[in-house]
Amino acid sequence: MLVLLPPSEGKASSGRGAPLKLESLSLPGLTEARAAVLAELVELCAGDEDKAREVLGLSEGLRGEVAKNAGLPTAGARPAGEIYTGVLYDALDLASLDAAAKKRAARSLLVFSGLWGAVRVTDRIPSYRCSMGVKLPGLGALGAHWRTPMATVLPEAAGDGLVLDLRSSAYAAAWKPKGEVAGRTASVRVLHAPTRKVVSHFNKATKGRIVRSLLAAGVAPKDPAGLVEALRDLGYVVEVEPAKGAGKAWMLDVLVDEVH
């Protein structure tokens, strides 16, 4: 099972670990594309601060993120699972999983990123600010930048198992499963049952709890139908829209009564 996660906008500090080594990251087929984004982001943020804030979509209160990006080549690095914070990652709470569940997380979780493309939670990265929606002056829209390398690398990472897609739309733009891989992909929405609406906070929190539940239980469904059964066994209310023809992903709605 491969679980595709969005990153968090907020991130923990880099700490005092050894600096990033691009060649040490998982999915080495993305190294060249990562290097290109990193180089342009650092150059942008080392120059005109106001221009960098405009390109990155940062408010005045986030001015310090520009300097953080400028220092990425020498900043300390920590496991991505410690860098990413926020609602989904608080609910997932990787640090409190037992050893076996942590091993499963290391194998199955893949976090998408405007800067790195995608990383595993054990990959060591520095804290940064660069969403997938950014358009860098030289490279252009990052979603488009990542599509070509992702088209080769991600099907290999998916292997022949289930792909559980929990990404937001901006990050889904970087790679859309196609063909046979799409047929064993399940995309999940979380809906407030009484209103049938997505509410951002509990959407993220429930997705974090879903991943934690699967990891803690040691459940590894082989296909979308198996995922539906596993989630229902774990107490989730799931509605299913099976794939509409070959090369289409399943759509699952997880219904939640309380917003929390």
Side-chain angles (χ1 to χ4, degrees), residues 118-173:
V119 292
R120 298 198 183 276
V121 293
T122 51
D123 284 333
R124 298 180 64 84
I125 59 173
S127 183
Y128 67 97
R129 191 76 174 221
C130 183
S131 71
M132 191 66 79
V134 164
K135 294 182 179 180
L136 291 175
L139 293 177
L142 291 179
H145 171 76
W146 287 112
R147 281 182 204 135
T148 296
M150 289 279 192
T152 299
V153 172
L154 265 293
E156 294 176 357
D160 58 2
L162 168 72
V163 178
L164 173 54
D165 191 352
L166 302 177
R167 297 172 296 167
S168 55
S169 58
Y171 291 90

Side-chain angles (χ1 to χ4, degrees), residues 38-50:
L38 179 62
E40 184 167 352
L41 181 63
V42 169
E43 181 180 4
L44 171 71
C45 292
D48 186 319
E49 187 178 88
D50 289 330

Side-chain angles (χ1 to χ4, degrees), residues 38-204:
L38 179 62
E40 184 167 352
L41 181 63
V42 169
E43 181 180 4
L44 171 71
C45 292
D48 186 319
E49 187 178 88
D50 289 330
K51 178 182 178 181
R53 282 203 303 116
E54 180 181 357
V55 169
L56 297 175
L58 300 178
S59 66
E60 174 68 29
L62 294 173
R63 183 176 289 272
E65 299 293 285
V66 175
K68 178 196 291 186
N69 283 346
L72 284 173
T74 57
R78 296 168 58 187
E82 298 177 12
I83 290 290
Y84 294 114
T85 59
V87 176
L88 188 154
Y89 292 91
D90 285 347
L92 174 53
D93 195 8
L94 286 169
S96 69
L97 291 171
D98 63 33
K102 286 179 179 176
K103 288 181 180 179
R104 289 189 282 271
R107 292 193 302 267
S108 62
L109 304 188
L110 204 60
V111 184
F112 273 61
S113 163
L115 176 52
W116 316 116
V119 292
R120 298 198 183 276
V121 293
T122 51
D123 284 333
R124 298 180 64 84
I125 59 173
S127 183
Y128 67 97
R129 191 76 174 221
C130 183
S131 71
M132 191 66 79
V134 164
K135 294 182 179 180
L136 291 175
L139 293 177
L142 291 179
H145 171 76
W146 287 112
R147 281 182 204 135
T148 296
M150 289 279 192
T152 299
V153 172
L154 265 293
E156 294 176 357
D160 58 2
L162 168 72
V163 178
L164 173 54
D165 191 352
L166 302 177
R167 297 172 296 167
S168 55
S169 58
Y171 291 90
W175 181 62
K176 182 178 180 180
K178 296 180 179 180
E180 186 269 336
V181 179
R184 48 188 166 83
T185 296
S187 294
V188 173
R189 294 189 309 173
V190 180
L191 302 181
H192 183 216
T195 63
R196 315 294 290 190
K197 293 181 179 179
V198 174
V199 180
S200 179
H201 179 89
F202 84 87
N203 171 57
K204 294 175 182 178

Side-chain angles (χ1 to χ4, degrees), residues 9 33 98 102 105 118 175 177 197 209-210 215 239 246:
E9 287 299 320
D98 63 33
K102 286 179 179 176
W175 181 62
K197 293 181 179 179
R209 286 192 284 270
I210 286 171
L215 293 172
E239 293 183 349

